[in-house]
């Protein structure tokens, strides 16, 4: 089995686990009256959608350019991030409306039910994180950390469930649900800002465009650099275009200068480059 097929298989497995478990959480959270589990159900559903979209859109994003999308389909991978962000933000707002009133009027939660769900959450999400962590692709590595966050969330639910077995402190359930929702919202907004920066063709993180320009202008034969643009295609690979004013007596000298420019920008993960020479 090829590397891409193995990656898709691991992502598909994590998707199925999260989808089925989130459905079980919605049902179980309602039955045992735990808003904390309901909030994590929203989180897991968002994860499932992210995994499903990643699995599906990854296949599309690997397609080469055609008459409809001449640059290729790489940015389709960003659609999953936008879809996931919208669902998780809506879910977090829903949890706020559910949990805040319970801070003032806590309801009884089934501690044993919370513990059983937490144990299942640790095992299933832990298994998904382990499978993704064993993968070699960058996509699997990022998703494995996302699954690990889920495991830690379930450890928190487990601790609250154990406390509720011995102490009648049911306000802990809505407090935990709000903490989970705030944590999700913080990370979603942070990732949404990154995604929007890519879609708006901002300069990729970690790249100083003035430093790049200075480096190119230091190449022998280059007079000046104009209209230097660097942007990200999908968050992993970048594109570059620029206008060069050069001192060259032949086409070969011009091509040599252009090759040196590509060498100077080789560490910027440039996949597409357009270098115009004056």
């Amino acid at each position: 089995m090829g590397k891409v097929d193995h990656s898709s298989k691991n992502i598909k497995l994590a998707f199925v686990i999260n989808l089925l478990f989130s459905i079980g959480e919605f049902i179980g959270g309602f039955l045992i009256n735990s808003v904390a589990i309901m909030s994590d159900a929203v989180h897991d559903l968002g994860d499932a959608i992210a995994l499903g979209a990643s699995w599906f859109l990854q296949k599309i994003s690997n397609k080469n350019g055609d008459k409809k999308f001449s640059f290729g389909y790489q940015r389709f991978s960003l659609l999953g991030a936008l879809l996931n962000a919208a669902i998780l933000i809506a879910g977090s707002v829903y949890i706020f409306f559910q949990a805040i009133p319970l801070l003032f009027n806590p309801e009884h939660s089934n501690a044993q039910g919370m513990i059983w769900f937490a144990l299942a959450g640790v095992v299933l999400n832990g298994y998904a994180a382990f499978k993704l962590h064993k993968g070699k692709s960058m996509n699997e590595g990022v998703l494995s950390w996302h699954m690990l966050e889920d495991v830690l969330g379930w450890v928190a639910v487990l601790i609250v469930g154990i406390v509720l077995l011995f102490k009648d402190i049911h306000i802990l359930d809505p407090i935990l649900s709000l903490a989970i929702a705030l944590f999700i919202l913080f990370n979603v907004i942070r990732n949404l800002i990154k995604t929007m920066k890519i879609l708006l063709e901002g300069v990729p993180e970690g790249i100083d465009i003035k430093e790049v320009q200075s480096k190119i202008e230091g190449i022998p034969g280059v007079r000046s650099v104009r209209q230097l643009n660097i942007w990200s295609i999908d968050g992993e690979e970048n594109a570059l275009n620029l206008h060069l004013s050069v001192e060259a007596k032949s086409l070969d000298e011009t091509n040599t200068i252009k090759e040196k420019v590509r060498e100077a920008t080789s560490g910027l993960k440039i996949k597409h480059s357009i270098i115009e020479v004056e």
Side-chain angles (χ1 to χ4, degrees):
M1 182 177 291
K3 185 184 292 186
V4 174
D5 291 333
H6 190 266
S7 176
S8 295
K9 183 179 179 181
N10 285 340
I11 295 173
K12 180 181 177 181
L13 174 66
F15 162 66
V16 171
I17 288 175
N18 272 266
L19 180 61
L20 294 178
F21 193 57
S22 65
I23 293 172
E25 283 180 282
F26 277 115
I27 297 171
F30 175 76
L31 293 176
I32 68 175
N33 198 30
S34 172
V35 71
I37 288 180
M38 291 287 283
S39 66
D40 210 273
V42 174
H43 187 189
D44 279 343
L45 179 61
D47 285 347
I49 292 172
L51 288 162
S54 176
W55 172 42
F56 175 71
L57 293 171
Q58 185 65 38
K59 295 181 179 180
I60 297 178
S61 68
N62 289 329
K63 291 174 63 177
N64 295 322
D66 55 25
K67 63 181 181 180
K68 291 184 178 179
F69 296 94
S70 59
F71 272 105
Y73 287 75
Q74 279 180 277
R75 285 202 166 184
F76 274 67
S77 63
L78 299 176
L79 296 179
L82 290 176
L83 178 62
N84 182 41
I87 289 173
L88 287 177
I89 289 173
S92 297
V93 172
Y94 170 77
I95 293 302
F96 290 149
F97 279 105
Q98 293 294 313
I100 289 175
L102 294 177
L103 291 174
F104 305 99
N105 187 25
E107 295 181 359
H108 178 79
S109 299
N110 187 319
Q112 290 184 340
M114 290 179 70
I115 291 172
W116 282 113
F117 264 103
L119 290 173
V122 170
V123 171
L124 292 175
N125 285 284
Y127 177 69
F130 172 73
K131 294 294 289 185
L132 288 168
H133 183 69
K134 288 177 64 179
K136 303 297 183 183
S137 73
M138 183 177 292
N139 199 20
E140 287 174 289
V142 172
L143 290 171
S144 71
W145 283 107
H146 204 150
M147 293 297 98
L148 183 59
E149 289 178 357
D150 291 347
V151 173
L152 296 176
W154 278 113
V155 170
V157 174
L158 178 61
I159 293 172
V160 169
I162 292 173
V163 170
L164 290 178
L165 277 180
F166 302 98
K167 296 285 186 179
D168 193 23
I169 316 174
H170 293 288
I171 196 173
L172 289 177
D173 185 67
I175 288 175
L176 178 60
S177 69
L178 287 172
I180 292 172
L182 285 170
F183 175 76
I184 294 169
L185 198 58
F186 172 78
N187 284 283
V188 168
I189 291 175
R190 186 179 62 178
N191 290 328
L192 182 60
I193 291 171
K194 291 181 180 179
T195 302
M196 293 306 298
K197 184 179 179 182
I198 294 170
L199 290 174
L200 294 173
E201 299 185 342
V203 177
E205 291 185 11
I207 294 179
D208 185 332
I209 202 161
K210 290 185 178 180
E211 183 180 316
V212 175
Q213 180 169 340
S214 177
K215 190 174 183 180
I216 295 173
E217 289 179 339
I219 296 172
V222 175
R223 286 200 193 99
S224 63
V225 176
R226 294 192 302 108
Q227 297 181 13
L228 172 60
N229 301 303
I230 305 174
W231 67 98
S232 179
I233 300 170
D234 60 355
E236 295 184 21
E237 295 180 333
N238 302 322
L240 171 148
N241 68 28
L242 60 96
H243 287 248
L244 285 179
S245 176
V246 302
E247 296 176 355
K249 297 178 181 179
S250 66
L251 182 60
D252 286 341
E253 287 185 19
T254 299
N255 288 335
T256 298
I257 292 173
K258 290 173 71 173
E259 188 58 37
K260 287 182 179 179
V261 170
R262 291 192 174 93
E263 289 176 5
T265 57
S266 61
L268 304 180
K269 299 180 181 178
I270 305 295
K271 183 176 182 181
H272 298 289
S273 64
I274 300 173
I275 303 174
E276 296 287 343
V277 177
E278 299 172 359

